[in-house]
Amino acid sequence: MHSSMLLPLSIWKMSGLLYLDVSQNCIEGEFPSDIGELKAIIKLDFSSNHFSGKLPSKLGELQKLQYLDLSNNSFFGQFPLSFAKLISLEFLDLSLNSLSGTIPKSMGRLSYLKSINVSFNDLEGEMPSGGVFVNSTVQSFLGNKGLCGVHILEVPACTNPGLQSKFKELVLKVVIPVVISFFLIFLLVSIWIFKRQKKGKSKDVEKVPDIRTHQLVSYHEIQRATNYFDESNLIGVESSGSLYKVTLSSEIVVAIMILDLEYEEVCKRFDSECEVMTNVRHRNLVPVITNCSSDYIKAFLQQYMSNGSLEYWLYG
């Protein structure tokens, strides 16, 4: 039969019809609901036509049907659950259509079904695990990106929704709180270490008195503080003078640079340098606290740096 037409409705009323093959034509239309009237039908071949619409559930009433080929048409919709009632079915080809949804697991219980092809549809979900599906090849299921299973090679294994939900629950209840706890502990420890380090640094730096309120130091105070310039208090010698570590009567620890009066140029610049050094503020300069100037001595009082001099760290 090779014509472009609609099948006459009278065909579906032939209850004694055994074989119906209209393959490779250009027949259009949908299956009527009374297709279930073909009670005696053994073979139906409607492949390579232009049939469309949903597959009627009445197909499941054809319990003597052994061969069903609906491939290469335009059927769409869900895979009919009623196909599980085709107890005599041996061959089923639904390839090259637009069927969607899952393959009913009950299809795996059709004991006579030896061949199935549902390739190039839009099917998804887990394939049945019994019957014809055990011995089928991947070619029967190609083109269905959503299908999964464990019995057929090259078909991706299905993930366990229950396992996934348990894993998500575990992540939400255990992993995330643990990570947050570790982060908070790390943050608190970091803050504690930072404060300890800052506190330690503040202890290492001696208190610097306010220059505006500190009085000039007398020669006799310097004599007493250095124990009359005893070498035990000497911490450095430079070309322009000597540097002592002393404790003033106010219990402030300072470093005193006593200039060598034999250097006239140094002594001449003393007053101008005092003014400059007491007013300049920079993180890399040791601040001058006050000074002492008389006929017997010219000295700068500076903040004492407990970590030593730059020269010591470079060459000591």
Side-chain angles (χ1 to χ4, degrees), residues 81-268:
L81 293 174
S82 63
F83 275 26
K85 299 178 181 179
L86 298 173
I87 56 176
S88 301
L89 194 62
E90 299 178 7
F91 179 92
L92 176 62
D93 192 343
L94 301 175
S95 61
L96 296 167
N97 281 286
S98 299
L99 299 176
S100 58
T102 60
I103 301 175
K105 291 185 178 181
S106 53
M107 293 295 295
R109 294 194 287 268
L110 293 177
S111 57
Y112 290 103
L113 187 59
K114 299 296 186 292
S115 177
I116 184 171
N117 188 351
V118 293
S119 59
F120 300 102
N121 281 280
D122 296 317
L123 298 171
E124 60 185 5
E126 185 177 3
M127 295 188 301
S129 57
V132 67
F133 297 93
V134 176
N135 299 316
S136 296
T137 62
V138 70
Q139 283 74 22
S140 298
F141 305 97
L142 291 174
N144 294 279
K145 295 182 179 180
L147 281 180
C148 61
V150 296
H151 296 287
I152 300 174
L153 294 176
E154 300 181 41
V155 174
C158 297
T159 55
N160 189 331
L163 185 62
Q164 279 189 330
S165 62
K166 287 182 180 179
F167 176 75
K168 290 181 180 178
E169 185 178 356
L170 177 66
V171 170
L172 291 174
K173 288 187 176 180
V174 179
V175 178
I176 292 178
V178 169
V179 171
I180 293 175
S181 299
F182 272 112
F183 175 76
L184 291 176
I185 291 172
F186 172 77
L187 184 63
L188 292 174
V189 171
S190 300
I191 293 173
W192 179 78
I193 293 175
F194 175 76
K195 287 186 175 180
R196 283 289 299 270
Q197 290 178 340
K198 189 175 181 181
K199 187 176 181 181
K201 288 181 180 179
S202 64
K203 287 183 178 179
D204 290 340
V205 179
E206 301 289 347
K207 180 180 179 181
V208 180
D210 191 343
I211 296 173
R212 295 171 298 178
T213 61
H214 202 280
Q215 300 298 320
L216 294 177
V217 179
S218 68
Y219 173 68
H220 297 291
E221 171 73 4
I222 294 176
Q223 277 187 316
R224 184 203 63 76
T226 58
N227 195 18
Y228 295 91
F229 309 105
D230 192 296
E231 290 187 357
S232 62
N233 294 318
L234 187 66
I235 57 175
V237 178
E238 300 178 5
S239 60
S240 58
S242 302
L243 189 64
Y244 293 87
K245 175 188 175 183
V246 299
T247 304
L248 300 178
S249 57
S250 59
E251 298 185 353
I252 297 175
V253 178
V254 297
I256 299 180
M257 168 60 78
I258 300 177
L259 303 181
D260 190 341
L261 297 180
E262 293 182 2
Y263 288 88
E264 293 184 6
E265 291 298 324
V266 173
C267 295
K268 288 179 181 179

Side-chain angles (χ1 to χ4, degrees), residues 12 19 22 25 33 38 64 70 76 86 98 107 138 159 162 214 229 236 244 260 265 267 287 293 296 299 305:
W12 311 113
Y19 302 95
V22 291
N25 283 285
S33 58
L38 302 176
K64 293 184 179 181
L70 305 179
F76 60 86
L86 298 173
S98 299
M107 293 295 295
V138 70
T159 55
H214 202 280
F229 309 105
Y244 293 87
D260 190 341
E265 291 298 324
C267 295
S293 179
Y296 307 104
M305 307 300 291

